[in-house]
Amino acid sequence: MDNENQSVCEQKTYEFLFNMHSETLYSFIYYKCGDQQQAEDIVQEAYIKLWNNCSKVLFTKAKSYLYTVARNLFLNEVAHQKIVLEHQSNQIKQNNLETPEFLLEEQQFMEKLKRAIANLPEKQREVFLLSRIDKKKYTEISEIVGISVKAVEKRMSQALELLRKQIVEI
């Protein structure tokens, strides 16, 4: 888009923003939650909020707005899930859910590798997946996540170190 002063309320501008950012926004949220449907729902809700507030959002700030809204929606869902899980955990403590089949599956290499990535702290996993899966540069990651390039480098270094330790144990 040539004119950065365009209104986000214009259909072409809104479509441009959707086409430009929806896939990376989806990946960003998917790496946080690990659930395709939840990520799709959050991205859709973020774009709905952008549309509902289009007159208040500048075109140049639309990307930042989308990422902030999506991150907040995700954090709200996490807070809700914590309450649900606390309630359910009281009932689950009485039952042992590990079956022999589950224990056997745990021993498979690919499962351990996936689990090692999933066990990374959220911030490290997010940076790792944006870099290694989405092939984003550190500067792009710093813009998406809202941290400095040095912080991205540190999180990536920590993630790789943790993965190396876990893979040696496999």
Side-chain angles (χ1 to χ4, degrees), residues 3-156:
N3 185 0
E4 293 191 359
N5 293 326
Q6 284 205 349
S7 170
V8 176
C9 295
E10 293 178 19
Q11 184 176 350
K12 287 184 179 185
T13 306
Y14 185 80
E15 287 175 3
F16 172 80
L17 289 169
F18 180 82
N19 293 333
M20 191 71 169
H21 303 298
S22 62
E23 287 182 28
T24 55
L25 183 61
Y26 167 81
S27 295
F28 172 70
I29 294 299
Y30 177 70
Y31 295 154
K32 284 186 165 293
C33 68
D35 182 284
Q36 291 178 336
Q37 188 61 48
Q38 183 182 17
E40 289 173 5
D41 291 345
I42 289 173
V43 169
Q44 184 177 22
E45 186 67 27
Y47 275 95
I48 290 170
K49 286 188 182 271
L50 175 64
W51 183 254
N52 290 337
N53 295 302
C54 65
S55 62
K56 301 174 189 172
V57 179
L58 299 173
F59 177 80
T60 56
K61 301 291 183 183
K63 179 179 178 182
S64 174
Y65 177 85
L66 286 167
Y67 278 86
T68 301
V69 167
R71 182 183 297 131
N72 290 343
L73 288 168
F74 169 72
L75 292 174
N76 289 344
E77 286 188 21
V78 168
H80 175 71
Q81 283 300 320
K82 282 183 182 180
I83 294 169
V84 171
L85 290 174
E86 284 178 22
H87 178 70
Q88 291 176 346
S89 70
N90 293 334
Q91 297 169 348
I92 293 176
K93 287 179 184 177
Q94 297 170 355
N95 300 329
N96 184 358
L97 299 177
E98 292 183 1
T99 64
E101 294 84 16
F102 176 77
L103 295 174
L104 182 62
E105 289 174 13
E106 275 189 324
Q107 296 173 2
Q108 295 175 359
F109 177 79
M110 289 305 294
E111 194 66 35
K112 285 186 177 183
L113 181 59
K114 289 178 185 177
R115 200 173 309 110
I117 292 172
N119 286 337
L120 286 174
E122 178 187 329
K123 293 176 180 180
Q124 292 174 14
R125 181 178 64 238
E126 177 182 29
V127 168
F128 177 81
L129 292 173
L130 283 169
S131 172
R132 302 303 167 139
I133 303 300
D134 277 357
K135 307 290 185 209
K136 298 285 185 193
K137 296 179 182 176
Y138 286 178
T139 53
E140 294 173 312
I141 295 170
S142 73
E143 181 181 315
I144 290 170
V145 179
I147 58 175
S148 70
V149 175
K150 286 289 185 188
V152 171
E153 291 172 357
K154 182 170 181 158
R155 287 182 186 179
M156 185 62 149

